[in-house]
Amino acid sequence: MSPYRNLEEYNIEITNEVKEHFAKIMDDLGEDVSREGLLKTPERAAKAMLFLTQGYKQDATEILKGAMFAESYDDMVIIKDIEVYSLCEHHMLPFFGKAHIAYIPNGHIVGLSKIPRVVDVFARRLQVQERLTHDILECINSTLKPKGVAVVIEAAHMCMMMRGVQKQNSVTTTSGFRGQFEKIETRNEFLKLISADLS
Ligand SMILES: [Zn+2]
């Protein structure tokens, strides 16, 4: 299985099954599934949902291992403002925002594009923001074995914005730190760098 597999070819059996479920749900919600505008909606919804949960079939560790290079650089590497789109596991509604990730190499660096890929692998499944943060942190920590790794995610949750408490502007921040980032000075340097506007 290629770690880069993108779900562009859909398993017909699974797609059809999910499609039938969506048609039933739409009917239960009071829609007329046979009206013209909705004819292809169950299939589109099935494909969208399979795309948004393709992370179950991808291997973040393999993605990182495939692009690790020996390198003596040992200062902080920061990838800021990585877009995050995920689905909350409680309501299956989107939550989205940005991830900021840093690591301090310990003999190896990783291709920079791989870090956002790791984010996608864990974001494209049913998640809670806390576990998403932890999954990314542990994957980088155990694969790259850096001197330290830090992950901060800021996200807005549609299940809070559209229903329930209807707090339109609240953003949830989660963070995790390992190794040298557990030291307050290193952590503060990282937090200062991700909040600096370099543009
Ligand atoms: Zn939710």
Side-chain angles (χ1 to χ4, degrees):
M1 177 177 70
S2 160
Y4 300 112
R5 203 175 85 92
N6 233 358
L7 217 161
E8 277 154 15
E9 284 173 17
Y10 295 86
N11 177 304
I12 291 172
E13 260 171 58
I14 294 172
T15 308
N16 279 337
E17 200 142 309
V18 178
K19 174 181 133 183
E20 293 308 317
H21 292 306
F22 268 114
K24 175 78 172 69
I25 290 168
M26 289 162 65
D27 182 63
D28 285 346
L29 294 175
E31 258 298 353
D32 171 9
V33 192
S34 66
R35 73 179 171 84
E36 204 191 348
L38 296 182
L39 286 180
K40 292 206 78 182
T41 299
E43 185 183 340
R44 287 194 204 97
K47 286 182 172 173
M49 206 44 95
L50 289 167
F51 179 88
L52 296 175
T53 56
Q54 65 182 289
Y56 292 120
K57 297 192 173 68
Q58 296 171 330
D59 187 336
T61 301
E62 288 306 311
I63 290 173
L64 283 183
K65 278 186 184 163
M68 280 170 59
F69 311 100
E71 177 61 58
S72 60
Y73 181 89
D74 62 356
D75 282 319
M76 198 183 293
V77 178
I78 303 181
I79 305 103
K80 260 176 69 163
D81 296 333
I82 301 166
E83 286 175 69
V84 175
Y85 298 97
S86 191
L87 292 170
C88 90
E89 69 180 18
H90 303 126
H91 306 93
M92 295 178 67
L93 288 171
F95 67 93
F96 59 94
K98 284 178 172 172
H100 314 290
I101 298 177
Y103 72 96
I104 300 170
N106 186 18
H108 287 90
I109 56 166
V110 67
L112 289 179
S113 68
K114 305 306 172 205
I115 301 285
R117 279 184 172 277
V118 167
V119 171
D120 278 345
V121 168
F122 292 114
R124 285 180 178 157
R125 34 182 101 178
L126 301 186
Q127 273 288 9
V128 295
Q129 188 178 328
E130 294 86 341
R131 192 175 63 242
L132 175 60
T133 306
H134 187 261
D135 285 347
I136 297 165
L137 187 76
E138 290 306 329
C139 176
I140 296 172
N141 199 43
S142 60
T143 309
L144 201 55
K145 298 184 173 47
K147 289 176 183 161
V149 56
V151 177
V152 171
I153 298 179
E154 307 169 287
H157 292 247
M158 295 308 279
C159 62
M160 282 178 75
M161 298 165 79
M162 292 179 71
R163 56 166 293 290
V165 291
Q166 297 186 13
K167 292 291 181 223
Q168 265 77 18
N169 296 313
S170 74
V171 169
T172 304
T173 303
T174 48
S175 60
F177 305 97
R178 290 286 181 277
Q180 290 188 8
F181 288 98
E182 290 171 58
K183 287 191 301 186
I184 194 79
E185 314 85 73
T186 315
R187 185 186 303 200
N188 282 346
E189 186 190 343
F190 163 67
L191 294 173
K192 203 173 104 190
L193 285 166
I194 62 169
S195 50
D197 188 358
L198 304 176
S199 58

